[in-house]
């Protein structure tokens, strides 16, 4: 049975409610994690309640014209089949009685009870019909293997599922292929009403018996033909293979310069690992205190004007299209939105947005616009463009405060250091950007200490030691082949003794599929409970960004030894200076997958090359 059904406006006003408020507020979690994150095209939302409570499944429907949201909540273990049908009926009936100025709908209770009875009755009829459709499958199991091929296509279809009836009736070859290519067990495992699964089974597992046995004599003939071909043109190939020789590369000698020069410019270091004192030069103000990150105005707005001047490709006449634009009473349907959404999806993918993310965004925009009235003198393309722009702004805008300076001072008042852990895959620039963050904090008069917890990669400790010398800040290190979780714990204790305000923890780069290293990272995070876990990722990645962040969060959750696992809190995008306005989509892909905001953007090699993300500029660039 339903636990709760809620009808409310997009502004948050509750109009009608069935049931009492549930523990954990699953509807609030739905709004935060799904509706505001442009995931409304998903089929359902699964909510894991606190310990000792039931898990819930939430389904929803929209009336975009009236701005209403209908949400149904039921226990996940029940698998209610009538919820979608009930939501559609409730949306239809409630939209008829809805009035904008009315806030109470107590008289809707009787209507809902009637709708629920009808939906449950229809679901029961469908369930009985499916059981009746699967009944002939029982005697079919006792048939001999050859008997199945003599049966009609209709009987084979009902044994495997009701959806395959039309296909097997018209193509008896499919039935023979299924009988010959798979065992009896696999034959009965095909799920009902799954046409896609039947296609996969016929195309992969059952396609093998149709192929004839390979003749070995044909292989010998092919080899002989290949040998003849190599004999005809083999002379030139042999000569070509014997001719090239590797020539050692020589240093280029420029005019008026010595032939050999010293290439090792590293600082001399004594036996204790200490070099000469380096006083860091003031490189100026960090770009974090400036606003602009990406300028989309450089290319002008000519492209936008040209795009708006494109003629409408619909088959309607000039007068009818003009009349429709003036009246503004057309209700948007999915068929109207499909061309504009396809063009928008292709545009996002050219900007390096992952295909999966672009597809989900377009589905969410279609869900939010379907059934909405088209305004006067408004085109479908411009309406879709505006809806997508609003969706992107909602996704990229942080849902919580990202003011690290305020959080640092709050931790300082509590008498403890603020801990930041940098994680990510190999070679993305964690240590370099850690030094940039340290430089920015130093400009705000904050005491910083570095923790060298990358005990895996050769040269990692020396690299961080060099940054610490240049920035004149302390570093805590224990060398290599040590447990990074213990090193981080000792570094935090040392920071407390030295009254350091911030501890920046450098970790080893690791691929998302490397379970030993991911287990060590999970141990480091759970043992030290950092204030901020920053994922460092490249701005160059496309589809791989989805895989990296998804698996990082999944591994941190699976390998955690505590009930509430710590996941990624923020994102630091690196190498942003190596891309142009055409491939800025990695930021959108990462934020959409993880829900974590982009807190820093690295855009160069100097300590000042650290910026904030200009969200409006990124959105404009994505839709340009």
């Amino acid at each position: 049975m339903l636990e709760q059904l809620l009808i409310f406006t997009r502004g948050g006003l509750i109009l009608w409610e069935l049931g009492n408020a549930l523990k954990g507020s699953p509807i609030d979690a739905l709004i935060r994690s799904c509706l505001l994150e442009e995931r409304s095209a998903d089929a359902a939302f699964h909510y894991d309640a606190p310990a000792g409570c039931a898990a819930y499944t939430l389904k929803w429907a929209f009336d975009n014209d009236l701005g209403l949201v209908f949400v149904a909540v039921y226990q996940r273990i029940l698998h209610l089949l009538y919820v979608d049908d009930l939501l559609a009926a409730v949306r239809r009936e409630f939209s008829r009685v809805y009035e904008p100025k009315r806030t109470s709908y107590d008289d809707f209770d009787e209507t809902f009870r009637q709708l629920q009875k009808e939906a449950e009755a229809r679901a029961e009829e469908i369930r009985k019909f499916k059981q009746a459709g699967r009944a002939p499958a029982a005697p079919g199991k006792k048939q001999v293997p050859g008997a199945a091929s003599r049966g009609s296509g209709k009987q084979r279809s009902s044994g495997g599922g009701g959806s395959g009836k039309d296909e097997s009736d018209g193509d008896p070859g499919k039935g023979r292929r299924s009988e010959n290519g798979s065992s009896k067990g696999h034959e009965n495992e095909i799920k009902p009403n799954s046409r896609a699964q039947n296609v996969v089974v016929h195309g992969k597992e059952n396609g093998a018996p149709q192929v004839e046995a390979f003749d070995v004599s044909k292989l010998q003939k092919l080899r002989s033909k290949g040998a003849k071909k190599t004999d005809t043109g083999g002379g030139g190939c042999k000569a070509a293979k014997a001719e090239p020789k590797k020539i050692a590369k020589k240093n280029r000698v420029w005019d008026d310069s010595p032939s050999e020069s010293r290439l090792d410019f590293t600082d001399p270091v004594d036996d204790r690992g200490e070099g000469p004192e380096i006083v860091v030069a003031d490189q100026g103000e960090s770009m974090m205190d400036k606003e602009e990150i990406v300028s989309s105005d450089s290319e002008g707005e000519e492209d936008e004007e040209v795009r708006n001047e494109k003629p409408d490709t619909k088959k309607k006449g000039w007068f009818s299209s003009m009349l429709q634009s003036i009246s503004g009473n057309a209700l948007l349907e999915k068929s109207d939105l499909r061309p504009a959404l396809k063009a928008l999806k292709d545009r996002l993918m050219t900007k390096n947005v992952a295909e999966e993310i672009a597809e989900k965004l377009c589905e969410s925009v279609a869900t939010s616009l379907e059934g909405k009235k088209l305004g006067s003198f408004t085109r479908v393309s411009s309406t879709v463009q505006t809806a997508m722009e609003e969706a992107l702004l909602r996704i990229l805008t942080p849902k919580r405060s990202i003011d690290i300076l305020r959080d640092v001072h709050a931790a300082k008042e509590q008498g403890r250091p603020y801990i930041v852990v940098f994680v990510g895959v190999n070679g993305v620039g964690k240590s370099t950007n850690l030094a940039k963050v340290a430089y920015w904090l130093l400009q705000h008069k904050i005491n910083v200490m570095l923790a060298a917890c990358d005990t895996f990669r050769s040269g990692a400790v020396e690299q961080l030691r060099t940054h610490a010398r240049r920035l004149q800040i302390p570093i805590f290190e224990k060398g290599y082949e040590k447990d990074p979780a213990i090193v981080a714990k000792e570094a935090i204790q040392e920071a407390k003794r030295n009254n350091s305000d911030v501890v920046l923890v450098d970790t080893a780069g690791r691929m998302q599929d490397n379970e030993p290293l991911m287990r060590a990272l999970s141990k480091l995070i759970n043992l030290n409970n950092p204030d901020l876990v920053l994922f460092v990722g490249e701005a160059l990645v496309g589809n791989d960004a989805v895989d990296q962040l998804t698996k990082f969060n999944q591994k941190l959750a699976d390998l955690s030894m505590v009930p509430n696992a710590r996941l990624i809190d923020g994102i630091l995008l690196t190498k942003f200076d190596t891309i142009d306005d055409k491939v800025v989509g990695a930021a959108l892909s990462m934020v959409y997958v993880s829900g974590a905001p982009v807190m820093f953007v690295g855009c160069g090699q100097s300590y000042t090359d650290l910026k904030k993300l200009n969200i409006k500029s990124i959105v404009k660039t994505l839709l340009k």
Side-chain angles (χ1 to χ4, degrees):
M1 59 176 294
L2 286 178
E3 297 289 337
Q4 192 177 18
L5 195 143
L6 200 65
I7 303 175
F8 57 94
T9 65
R10 289 187 180 272
L13 177 63
I14 298 177
L15 301 177
W16 185 83
E17 183 178 8
L18 170 71
N20 300 321
L22 301 175
K23 187 175 181 180
S25 301
I27 294 182
D28 291 344
L30 169 71
I31 295 173
R32 286 194 309 268
S33 304
C34 189
L35 303 186
L36 292 180
E37 294 289 339
E38 293 301 322
R39 305 175 194 271
S40 56
D42 296 345
F45 174 73
H46 300 295
Y47 175 76
D48 295 323
C53 300
Y56 298 105
T57 296
L58 290 83
K59 291 191 175 183
W60 58 92
F62 298 116
D63 190 320
N64 294 312
D65 188 25
L66 301 177
L68 301 178
V69 184
F70 306 82
V71 181
V73 186
Y74 59 94
Q75 292 188 19
R76 191 184 307 176
I77 196 173
L78 295 181
H79 299 290
L80 300 182
L81 301 178
Y82 62 87
V83 175
D84 293 327
D85 189 16
L86 178 62
L87 281 174
V90 169
R91 178 181 60 182
R92 182 180 64 251
E93 296 299 329
F94 191 84
S95 300
R96 293 175 181 175
V97 300
Y98 173 71
E99 297 176 5
K101 296 183 179 180
R102 185 179 173 185
T103 58
S104 178
Y105 293 87
D106 296 334
D107 55 345
F108 191 70
D109 295 350
E110 185 62 31
T111 305
F112 172 77
R113 281 193 289 269
Q114 184 64 28
L115 294 175
Q116 187 176 16
K117 289 180 181 179
E118 294 175 357
E120 290 176 350
R122 283 192 295 268
E124 184 66 19
E125 290 178 2
I126 294 175
R127 186 182 64 83
K128 291 180 179 179
F129 178 76
K130 288 182 178 180
Q131 287 181 351
R134 280 198 294 266
K141 293 181 181 179
K142 298 180 181 180
Q143 294 179 358
V144 294
S149 61
R150 292 193 296 271
S152 64
K154 187 179 295 185
Q155 290 176 348
R156 284 194 300 272
S157 174
S158 62
S163 62
K165 179 178 179 180
D166 296 335
E167 296 176 3
S168 57
D169 284 344
D171 188 5
K174 291 185 180 180
R176 288 194 300 270
R177 207 159 46 236
S178 175
E179 187 267 327
N180 292 329
S182 61
S183 63
K184 296 179 184 178
H186 288 86
E187 200 172 66
N188 295 321
E189 284 176 2
I190 301 176
K191 295 182 181 180
N193 301 326
S194 58
R195 181 167 304 195
Q197 292 182 358
N198 292 338
V199 173
V200 172
V201 171
H202 292 326
K204 290 186 179 180
E205 293 184 7
N206 304 320
Q210 291 272 327
V211 181
E212 298 179 358
F214 190 81
D215 192 356
V216 181
S217 61
K218 292 182 180 180
L219 179 61
Q220 295 175 352
K221 290 180 181 179
L222 291 173
R223 287 179 177 175
S224 62
K225 289 181 181 179
K228 291 179 181 179
K229 290 182 180 179
T230 53
D231 292 341
T232 56
C237 295
K238 290 180 180 178
K241 288 181 180 178
E243 184 176 348
K245 292 182 179 179
K246 289 187 178 180
I247 302 175
K249 186 176 180 180
K250 297 181 180 179
N251 295 330
R252 177 175 292 180
V253 180
W254 301 96
D255 296 335
D256 301 329
S257 63
S259 57
E260 297 292 337
S261 60
R262 183 172 68 91
L263 299 179
D264 186 7
F265 292 98
T266 56
D267 299 326
V269 180
D270 57 14
D271 297 336
R272 295 176 298 172
E274 298 180 356
E277 290 292 332
I278 300 178
V279 180
V280 60
D282 188 5
Q283 298 185 5
E285 184 182 7
S286 175
M287 294 182 183
M288 275 294 295
D289 301 320
K290 301 177 182 179
E291 293 297 329
E292 189 176 2
I293 171 64
V294 175
S295 177
S296 301
D297 302 330
S298 57
E299 298 183 9
E301 301 193 2
E302 297 178 0
D303 297 339
E304 204 169 282
E305 295 175 359
V306 171
R307 185 170 61 251
N308 291 333
E309 291 175 1
K310 287 183 179 179
D312 197 358
T313 58
K314 292 183 178 180
K315 297 181 180 180
K316 296 181 180 180
W318 176 84
F319 182 76
S320 61
S321 61
M322 177 62 71
L323 184 62
Q324 181 178 350
S325 64
I326 293 175
S327 62
N329 291 326
L331 291 178
L332 291 175
E333 299 179 356
K334 282 191 176 181
S335 58
D336 303 325
L337 301 170
R338 195 172 294 117
L341 288 174
K342 185 180 183 304
L344 201 56
K345 176 187 172 183
D346 295 339
R347 194 184 312 165
L348 289 174
M349 290 175 61
T350 57
K351 303 291 185 180
N352 210 26
V353 178
E355 181 181 3
E356 178 186 357
I357 306 302
E359 179 71 26
K360 288 183 177 180
L361 280 172
C362 291
E363 290 177 359
S364 179
V365 170
T367 304
S368 64
L369 291 179
E370 186 180 3
K372 196 173 184 179
K373 286 184 180 180
L374 190 65
S376 302
F377 298 100
T378 306
R379 293 183 178 179
V380 175
S381 58
S382 60
T383 303
V384 171
Q385 179 99 355
T386 303
M388 180 61 76
E389 183 177 353
E390 294 174 355
L392 296 180
L393 284 173
R394 281 196 299 270
I395 292 171
L396 293 174
T397 302
K399 307 301 183 296
R400 59 178 179 82
S401 173
I402 58 173
D403 189 354
I404 293 182
L405 298 177
R406 188 195 67 178
D407 296 339
V408 169
H409 289 298
K412 187 176 181 180
E413 291 176 357
Q414 298 175 5
R416 63 176 184 85
Y418 187 83
I419 308 164
V420 184
V421 175
F422 292 76
V423 303
V425 300
N426 307 82
V428 294
K430 290 185 295 299
S431 301
T432 302
N433 286 274
L434 180 146
K436 295 179 186 178
V437 174
Y439 180 82
W440 171 64
L441 293 173
L442 287 173
Q443 286 192 320
H444 290 273
K445 311 300 181 183
I446 294 176
N447 298 324
V448 183
M449 189 179 80
L450 306 184
C453 296
D454 184 356
T455 62
F456 185 78
R457 174 175 65 90
S458 300
V461 177
E462 288 78 6
Q463 179 185 6
L464 208 62
R465 187 188 302 154
T466 301
H467 286 303
R469 272 206 322 271
R470 290 179 57 83
L471 296 174
Q472 294 293 291
I473 56 178
I475 179 175
F476 186 88
E477 56 174 285
K478 286 290 186 178
Y480 296 98
E481 297 183 357
K482 302 293 191 302
D483 188 351
I486 303 301
V487 175
K489 184 177 182 180
E490 295 179 0
I492 295 170
Q493 295 173 353
E494 181 70 17
K496 291 180 180 179
R497 288 191 291 268
N498 297 337
N499 295 324
S500 296
D501 300 328
V502 178
V503 179
L504 302 180
V505 181
D506 185 29
T507 63
R510 65 205 75 212
M511 298 305 294
Q512 58 269 25
D513 296 320
N514 192 331
E515 185 166 341
L517 287 179
M518 290 302 300
R519 191 178 297 277
L521 179 62
S522 177
K523 178 183 177 182
L524 185 149
I525 293 175
N526 293 327
L527 181 64
N528 298 284
N529 192 22
D531 297 279
L532 183 64
V533 179
L534 271 182
F535 179 85
V536 185
E538 287 181 333
L540 301 170
V541 296
N543 291 327
D544 196 41
V546 178
D547 188 61
Q548 289 178 8
L549 273 165
T550 302
K551 290 187 176 179
F552 255 82
N553 269 335
Q554 188 64 42
K555 290 291 184 182
L556 290 178
D558 294 343
L559 301 175
S560 176
M561 303 301 293
V562 295
N564 298 325
R566 283 295 303 276
L567 304 179
I568 293 170
D569 301 317
I571 299 170
L572 194 158
L573 272 180
T574 65
K575 307 178 184 179
F576 216 78
D577 55 321
T578 61
I579 63 174
D580 54 9
D581 288 358
K582 296 181 180 179
V583 285
V584 296
L588 176 62
S589 298
M590 290 184 176
V591 174
Y592 188 89
V593 168
S594 65
V598 177
M599 306 185 69
F600 301 99
V601 175
C603 53
Q605 294 296 318
S606 63
Y607 290 135
T608 59
D609 293 331
L610 192 71
K611 298 182 179 181
K612 293 180 181 179
L613 186 71
N614 190 330
I615 296 174
K616 291 183 179 180
S617 182
I618 291 291
V619 171
K620 186 175 181 180
T621 304
L622 286 170
L623 298 178
K624 184 169 61 179

